[in-house]
């Protein structure tokens, strides 16, 4: 009788795990089809680049090599943007996106190891994107989690960080596209910082109904702002340079 109970209990525990793993296999397969770039002038290249003494993962993707290039700098702790690829796929029709797993996160962490590394929305956006990412194996997903844990070591030092002291002069256009309900970076504080910025061009825009992870919770609003505010400035500059 005890053996029967133990076997039944084990089966009960394993069934949800098997179901979750099966779901994980199906969902990324659909995501991989979504992420496929077949355009003749498209680009889908990725690999490790040696930066600062370690190999760091950098993928470059877009439907047209002539589109403006955008370098995404992810947040922390160790929060790679690569997992959000399916959510932000429409951006690659208009922009060439360069993502980067910086020190202490994702594929960079898994490749180089920790010795060489230096909100509410979390469950619904980050964990969901993490689990269903078609661009990562289960082992790489584990590295993303370890990267966040590793980068927690620097959080106490960032509590007193002064953005103004780090500098407010920029030689390139400066944009803040901000969630209107942000609690980690309140909109009013971000706008006050922009007031003191000196740059060839600067703009501030709110993403309505968004807090943290605004560009991933509302990717369509973010893309609209990129296309109406950022892209025209870049393309006009390129045309002026060509004349």
């Amino acid at each position: 009788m005890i053996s029967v109970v133990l076997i039944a209990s084990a089966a009960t525990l394993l069934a949800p795990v098997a179901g979750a793993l099966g779901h994980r296999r199906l969902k990324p397969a659909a995501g991989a089809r979504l992420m496929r770039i077949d355009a003749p002038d498209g680009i889908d290249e990725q690999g490790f680049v040696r930066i600062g003494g370690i190999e760091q993962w950098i993928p470059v993707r877009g439907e047209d090599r002539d589109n403006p290039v955008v370098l995404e700098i992810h947040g922390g702790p160790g929060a790679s943007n690569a997992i959000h690829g399916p959510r932000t796929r429409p951006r690659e029709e208009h922009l060439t996106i360069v993502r980067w797993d910086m020190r202490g996160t994702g594929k960079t962490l898994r490749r180089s190891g920790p010795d060489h590394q230096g909100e509410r929305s979390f469950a619904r956006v980050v964990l969901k994107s993490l689990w269903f990412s078609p661009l990562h194996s289960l082992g790489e997903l584990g590295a993303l989690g370890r990267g966040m844990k590793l980068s927690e070591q620097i959080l106490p030092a960032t509590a007193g960080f002064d953005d103004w002291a780090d500098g407010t002069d920029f030689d390139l256009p400066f944009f803040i596209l901000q969630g209107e309900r942000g609690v980690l970076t309140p909109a009013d504080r971000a706008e006050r910082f922009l007031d003191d910025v000196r740059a060839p061009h600067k703009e501030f825009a709110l993403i309505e109904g968004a807090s943290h992870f605004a560009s991933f919770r509302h990717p369509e609003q973010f893309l609209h702002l990129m296309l109406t505010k950022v892209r025209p400035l870049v393309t006009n500059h390129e045309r002026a340079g060509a004349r």
Side-chain angles (χ1 to χ4, degrees), residues 4-19:
V4 173
V5 172
L6 289 176
I7 292 172
S9 299
T12 301
L13 291 172
L14 289 175
V17 175

Side-chain angles (χ1 to χ4, degrees), residues 59-115:
V60 183
R61 292 176 46 87
E63 295 282 352
D64 189 339
R65 293 169 184 260
D66 289 334
N67 281 336
V69 177
V70 172
L71 171 62
E72 286 189 358
I73 304 296
H74 65 73
S80 169
N81 279 0
I83 59 173
H84 301 298
R87 287 177 175 268
T88 59
R89 179 66 174 88
R91 298 177 192 175
E92 296 168 1
E93 299 174 17
H94 311 277
L95 304 163
T96 297
I97 305 296
V98 181
R99 297 184 174 91
W100 174 19
D101 283 4
M102 293 187 286
R103 291 175 180 267
T105 190
K107 298 190 181 189
T108 296
L109 172 64
R110 195 174 194 222
R111 178 79 161 220
S112 302
D115 292 339

Side-chain angles (χ1 to χ4, degrees), residues 166-188:
D166 205 44
T168 56
D169 291 347
F170 298 89
D171 295 328
L172 71 169
F174 191 96
F175 294 83
I176 295 179
L177 309 181
Q178 167 78 36
E180 67 170 345
R181 301 176 183 174
V183 292
L184 299 183
T185 308
D188 59 345

Side-chain angles (χ1 to χ4, degrees), residues 29-232:
R33 290 192 294 272
L34 173 67
M35 296 295 289
R36 189 178 298 127
I37 292 179
D38 297 320
D41 295 325
I43 181 171
D44 183 8
E45 298 180 2
Q46 53 276 317
F48 288 97
V49 179
R50 195 160 189 83
I51 304 173
I54 67 169
E55 293 190 329
Q56 303 192 34
W57 178 257
I58 299 181
V60 183
R61 292 176 46 87
E63 295 282 352
D64 189 339
R65 293 169 184 260
D66 289 334
N67 281 336
V69 177
V70 172
L71 171 62
E72 286 189 358
I73 304 296
H74 65 73
S80 169
N81 279 0
I83 59 173
H84 301 298
R87 287 177 175 268
T88 59
R89 179 66 174 88
R91 298 177 192 175
E92 296 168 1
E93 299 174 17
H94 311 277
L95 304 163
T96 297
I97 305 296
V98 181
R99 297 184 174 91
W100 174 19
D101 283 4
M102 293 187 286
R103 291 175 180 267
T105 190
K107 298 190 181 189
T108 296
L109 172 64
R110 195 174 194 222
R111 178 79 161 220
S112 302
D115 292 339
H116 303 285
Q117 306 294 333
E119 116 187 31
R120 273 67 66 210
S121 300
F122 184 83
R124 286 178 289 176
V125 178
V126 176
L127 294 184
K128 188 175 180 180
S129 296
L130 185 71
W131 181 249
F132 290 124
S133 172
L135 307 176
H136 298 81
S137 67
L138 286 176
E140 288 169 337
L141 295 183
L144 287 166
R146 292 194 299 276
M148 293 184 187
K149 187 69 175 176
L150 178 67
S151 296
E152 286 179 358
Q153 301 172 30
I154 68 171
L155 288 182
T158 64
F161 181 77
D162 186 346
D163 297 281
W164 279 266
D166 205 44
T168 56
D169 291 347
F170 298 89
D171 295 328
L172 71 169
F174 191 96
F175 294 83
I176 295 179
L177 309 181
Q178 167 78 36
E180 67 170 345
R181 301 176 183 174
V183 292
L184 299 183
T185 308
D188 59 345
R189 182 174 175 84
E191 193 166 16
R192 287 203 308 273
F193 179 78
L194 187 69
D195 289 340
D196 292 334
V197 164
R198 292 189 296 182
H201 181 96
K202 63 180 184 179
E203 279 193 63
F204 180 87
L206 290 175
I207 298 177
E208 297 178 0
S211 55
H212 202 47
F213 303 116
S215 66
F216 303 123
R217 286 294 305 277
H218 300 271
E220 67 294 332
Q221 284 193 51
F222 182 82
L223 178 58
H224 175 74
L225 291 173
M226 289 290 290
L227 295 180
T228 57
K229 295 185 176 295
V230 181
R231 195 177 195 275

